[in-house]
Amino acid sequence: MSIMRTTAEAIASAAGWKPPVPVGQPGDATGGRYLFRLEGGLDMELLSPDGRMCILRGKVGDLPADENAANALLAECARRAVARARTRGAVLTLEDGALVLFRQLSPEEAASPDEAPRKAGEFLNDLAWWRGRVQAQAAGSDRVGSGGAAGGYDARFAGMSATWLSGR
């Protein structure tokens, strides 16, 4: 069994989700990825560039069409990314006009039936956090703040690792 399939099944099992089905096959355009579609448009993709390590990927949001708004969003995201870099494993990137979050799982983490779901839960929490910040910035305000009370966005996903990935 491939490391990606093992990892995808461990994540799905811990969360109580249906067994995952790969999207595409290794070597084709989609590369044999696993896609987890969650409520609120929070989608997580699992892929492996080399068959050993696994990468979690999630789209945070598109850049605004207005160049000034896009630059302001990028500056704010860069500031927040630097502040979070010491404590979080996810990395925010810019990909084809969109902000995308990545988290690499080592071969040991990916193969562990306990570690892979825990890291996936952390990733989903980070993805929800970043999406909340980008949505707030795009709305012209940062009312969400670190407490997460405003707008209820963070409250829906707070403790996702405990709620969604607590089967083990």
Side-chain angles (χ1 to χ4, degrees):
M1 183 181 307
S2 76
I3 191 69
M4 253 189 11
R5 181 174 171 196
T6 302
T7 303
E9 288 178 357
I11 291 169
S13 174
W17 300 332
K18 293 179 189 176
V21 176
V23 177
Q25 297 298 319
D28 72 10
T30 60
R33 303 164 186 230
Y34 288 87
L35 182 60
F36 297 89
R37 293 198 180 273
L38 307 175
E39 66 184 38
L42 195 68
D43 296 340
M44 177 177 71
E45 186 177 9
L46 175 69
L47 55 114
S48 179
D50 62 2
R52 292 184 16 137
M53 79 171 100
C54 289
I55 296 176
L56 300 171
R57 179 187 182 277
K59 185 175 177 182
V60 173
D62 293 320
L63 288 179
D66 177 67
E67 186 175 346
N68 290 332
N71 288 337
L73 176 61
L74 288 172
E76 181 63 20
C77 285
R79 184 183 68 76
R80 290 179 186 264
V82 168
R84 292 178 62 89
R86 289 187 186 157
T87 60
R88 306 306 294 179
V91 177
L92 187 68
T93 64
L94 184 60
E95 179 182 286
D96 297 326
L99 292 165
V100 179
L101 196 65
F102 288 91
R103 172 77 158 89
Q104 178 180 327
L105 302 178
S106 70
E108 296 77 26
E109 290 171 330
S112 169
D114 295 322
E115 196 67 14
R118 188 175 72 74
K119 296 296 182 180
E122 291 173 4
F123 177 79
L124 288 170
N125 284 328
D126 286 345
L127 183 57
W129 186 89
W130 275 109
R131 287 187 68 190
R133 296 320 172 275
V134 168
Q135 288 174 359
Q137 181 77 18
S141 132
D142 194 12
R143 288 174 284 156
V144 175
S146 60
Y153 191 86
D154 282 356
R156 283 192 299 161
F157 296 106
M160 183 175 291
S161 58
T163 303
W164 288 87
L165 299 170
S166 62
R168 296 209 178 265

